[in-house]
Amino acid sequence: MKIARKRTGSQEKEMNRYSKKRNEQTLAVLNPLKQADHTIMQDTDLAGPLVFCLAFGGTLMLSGKLSFGYIYGIGVVGCLAMYTLLNLMSMTGVSVGCIISVLGYCLLPMVILSFSAALLSLQGMLGILFTVLAVIWCSASASKLFVSALSMDHQQPLVAYPCALVYGVFALLTVF
């Protein structure tokens, strides 16, 4: 017996609000040169980062690499390190959910890189160029979101460096 449930108006509005927020966060990652709204990270979303982590692992599987444990392990260590670092650097402090959300959403260029690894070899000169560009893209997007969410004016290069280290490890998983 099939039971159909109707959505109420408030449920529909809330779903639209969350999907709109996820789209805004994804677009903020895709355009690292655009100034980010400081309110974009107030509602931390963990579904988007989980989807991007699964997509990253799935596209690595296209290359014959089964690395889900490494992805989650590196992700946890990277989130804890960024949590510690950003709490030391910012005046307001940051939540773990915000760190997971930003680092997870900014994994999108790595997903694109790992998908391209399924199509072509990343161990040549062109692959190295793509990999470096993906790491720069990820770290620029993540540092932009952190700096705007935590009101850390003129500190983006200081935040971008540890972000680049985290995404560099993900890039190594993709290349090798």
Side-chain angles (χ1 to χ4, degrees), residues 10 20 22 32 43 46 53-54 60 62 134 149 160 164 169 172 176:
S10 63
K20 186 177 180 182
R22 278 190 295 253
D43 294 332
L46 300 180
C53 285
L54 289 172
L60 282 177
L62 293 174
V169 175
L172 287 174
F176 299 108

Side-chain angles (χ1 to χ4, degrees), residues 49 52-53 56-57 59-60 65 67-79 82 100 102-111 113-114 117 122 131 134-135 138-139 162-176:
F52 288 141
C53 285
F56 183 56
T59 53
L60 282 177
K65 302 170 188 167
S67 304
F68 286 103
Y70 290 119
I71 292 169
Y72 291 119
I74 293 166
V76 166
V77 170
C79 287
M82 288 301 294
I100 294 170
V102 169
L103 290 179
Y105 270 104
C106 293
L107 198 63
L108 181 60
M110 280 297 143
V111 174
L113 180 71
S114 65
L122 295 179
T131 304
V135 169
C138 289
S139 63
C163 291
L165 292 177
V166 170
Y167 292 116
V169 175
F170 285 123
L172 287 174
L173 278 178
T174 304
V175 173
F176 299 108

Side-chain angles (χ1 to χ4, degrees), residues 80-155:
L80 290 175
M82 288 301 294
Y83 175 75
T84 304
L85 182 70
L86 289 176
N87 273 321
L88 291 172
M89 288 178 67
S90 71
M91 295 294 186
T92 59
V94 63
S95 68
V96 176
C98 181
I99 300 290
I100 294 170
S101 184
V102 169
L103 290 179
Y105 270 104
C106 293
L107 198 63
L108 181 60
M110 280 297 143
V111 174
I112 296 169
L113 180 71
S114 65
F115 183 74
S116 67
L119 302 176
L120 58 108
S121 173
L122 295 179
Q123 296 189 3
M125 203 55 149
L126 187 65
I128 291 172
L129 179 68
F130 283 161
T131 304
V132 169
L133 288 176
V135 169
I136 290 171
W137 187 2
C138 289
S139 63
S141 296
S143 63
K144 173 189 70 168
L145 290 173
F146 283 135
V147 166
S148 67
L150 299 174
S151 301
M152 299 168 59
D153 296 329
H154 308 294
Q155 293 184 7

